[in-house]
Amino acid sequence: MYNLIDGKKLAQEMREEIRLGVEEFTKKNGREIGLAVVLVGQDPASQVYVRNKIKACAEVGIKSYAKYLSAESTQAEVEGLVKELSSDKNIDGILVQLPLPKHLDADKILRLIPTDKDVDGFSEENTGKLSMNEDCLVACTPNGVMKMLERYGIEIKGKKAVVIGRSNIVGKPMAMLLLNADATVTVCHSKTRDLKEECLRADILVSAIGKSKFVTADMVKEGAVVIDVGMNRDENGKLCGDVDFENVKDKCSYITPVPGGVGPMTITMLMYNTLQSALRRKI
Ligand code: NAP
């Protein structure tokens, strides 16, 4: 019988802990914690993400600064805003919602975010520190996965972990976190030969590909922990993960559902990182 990892419940519990941490910070330092969220343009999915982030801030007592720029904004205008937010003492975290309109140089804009306000954990310094196993702000989605494993008492040390996907925002930091936690890690991608064989070796299998029902039962070892990061739409437009949940679940010791798994943890970890950032800045 498999155990379901309830990301929604865990996210709720963590938000309450973060709320208490924010309250304590405010009392002690006499100021609010601030998170700036920059949205350029009107991409509908990005609008939903931004709205949810602002809602989460309100829930935990973080003051949000929503900055909306038109899709036609110039590179200089976006850079100007990020620079302004960077020097604003009231702001502990800056998040630029991706993707940015194509005419903008996203890398150049993201590089302007100071390391100590990089609550997405995407900066070169934070990713470098992560790879050196040093204290840093860690990308929210993989960090959320680590919290799930930790809170469910799933041992990582010495285990074989396989991560499918090598993006800078999920796959790579996920692999690094598992490695730092003493797993033996294999990273798979679209050019991996014998993906099924690699997956069958996994005690912990994390899928971050973006393809519905890609991970099938014949790819999963009996008793494995399966973490599904994917957020896709099935043939009926319903939200689903990368894992063929119905057929895979009975082989697992633990499995995350989609929705209600990794997704709710991501925004929670953004709140967590914003609190961490405020605590580190000591202002
Ligand atoms: P991405 O940048 O598109 O990366 C996808 C990765 O999957 C790439 O490394 C790619 O390999 C690999 N891949 C694609 N097809 C494959 C195949 N047939 N076999 C093996 N590997 C394959 O995506 P991402 O940003 O990492 O996101 C991955 C998924 O996670 C998406 O569904 C996204 O929506 C979801 N996501 C969810 C959350 C959340 O909060 N739950 C947050 C972020 C992302 P190559 O490098 O060789 O191309």
Side-chain angles (χ1 to χ4, degrees), residues 49 140-142 164-172 187-192 195 207-211 214 228-232 240-242 258 261-267:
Y49 291 139
C140 298
T141 301
I164 325 176
R166 57 172 165 180
S167 70
N168 290 334
I169 62 169
V170 189
K172 279 184 202 157
V187 184
C188 299
H189 46 80
S190 67
K191 311 294 184 296
T192 298
L195 182 68
S207 183
I209 317 172
K211 291 194 169 135
F214 183 89
D228 190 351
V229 180
M231 277 207 316
N232 316 301
C240 68
D242 290 343
V258 178
V262 176
M265 289 299 288
T266 296
I267 293 186

Side-chain angles (χ1 to χ4, degrees), residues 87-236:
S87 57
D88 186 335
K89 284 195 168 56
N90 294 312
I91 289 177
D92 299 283
I94 303 171
L95 181 143
V96 176
Q97 186 64 46
L98 299 175
L100 286 170
K102 288 207 165 37
H103 68 280
L104 296 171
D105 182 342
D107 286 343
K108 203 164 164 226
I109 291 165
L110 293 180
R111 281 205 185 99
L112 294 172
I113 301 174
T115 306
D116 64 347
K117 295 190 181 188
D118 170 36
V119 282
D120 257 337
F122 294 164
S123 72
E124 285 161 4
E125 197 172 328
N126 278 320
T127 51
K129 280 185 171 173
L130 176 63
S131 74
M132 295 172 87
N133 201 6
E134 285 176 18
D135 184 42
C136 62
L137 291 167
V138 181
C140 298
T141 301
N143 209 13
V145 172
M146 294 306 283
K147 288 281 174 210
M148 287 176 136
L149 296 173
E150 186 187 300
R151 297 283 174 114
Y152 274 80
I154 295 166
E155 205 184 343
I156 301 173
K157 191 175 177 174
K159 294 287 171 69
K160 287 198 169 66
V162 173
V163 179
I164 325 176
R166 57 172 165 180
S167 70
N168 290 334
I169 62 169
V170 189
K172 279 184 202 157
M174 185 74 254
M176 218 40 98
L177 285 164
L178 288 164
L179 185 63
N180 290 346
D182 295 330
T184 301
V185 184
T186 303
V187 184
C188 299
H189 46 80
S190 67
K191 311 294 184 296
T192 298
R193 282 189 214 153
D194 297 328
L195 182 68
K196 182 179 154 186
E197 292 309 311
E198 298 292 349
C199 293
L200 277 170
R201 278 194 272 272
D203 301 310
I204 300 170
L205 179 64
V206 182
S207 183
I209 317 172
K211 291 194 169 135
S212 323
K213 297 186 183 166
F214 183 89
V215 177
T216 46
D218 61 337
M219 295 166 77
V220 177
K221 184 166 89 172
E222 202 68 49
V225 175
V226 173
I227 307 289
D228 190 351
V229 180
M231 277 207 316
N232 316 301
R233 296 275 163 196
D234 69 9
E235 56 282 6
N236 304 313

Side-chain angles (χ1 to χ4, degrees), residues 228-272:
D228 190 351
V229 180
M231 277 207 316
N232 316 301
R233 296 275 163 196
D234 69 9
E235 56 282 6
N236 304 313
K238 232 178 99 194
L239 187 65
C240 68
D242 290 343
V243 177
D244 180 6
F245 184 87
E246 279 312 312
N247 294 309
V248 167
K249 66 181 191 317
D250 291 319
K251 292 188 92 175
C252 303
S253 54
Y254 290 89
I255 186 167
T256 60
V258 178
V262 176
M265 289 299 288
T266 296
I267 293 186
T268 301
M269 293 313 289
L270 174 67
M271 301 300 114
Y272 175 86

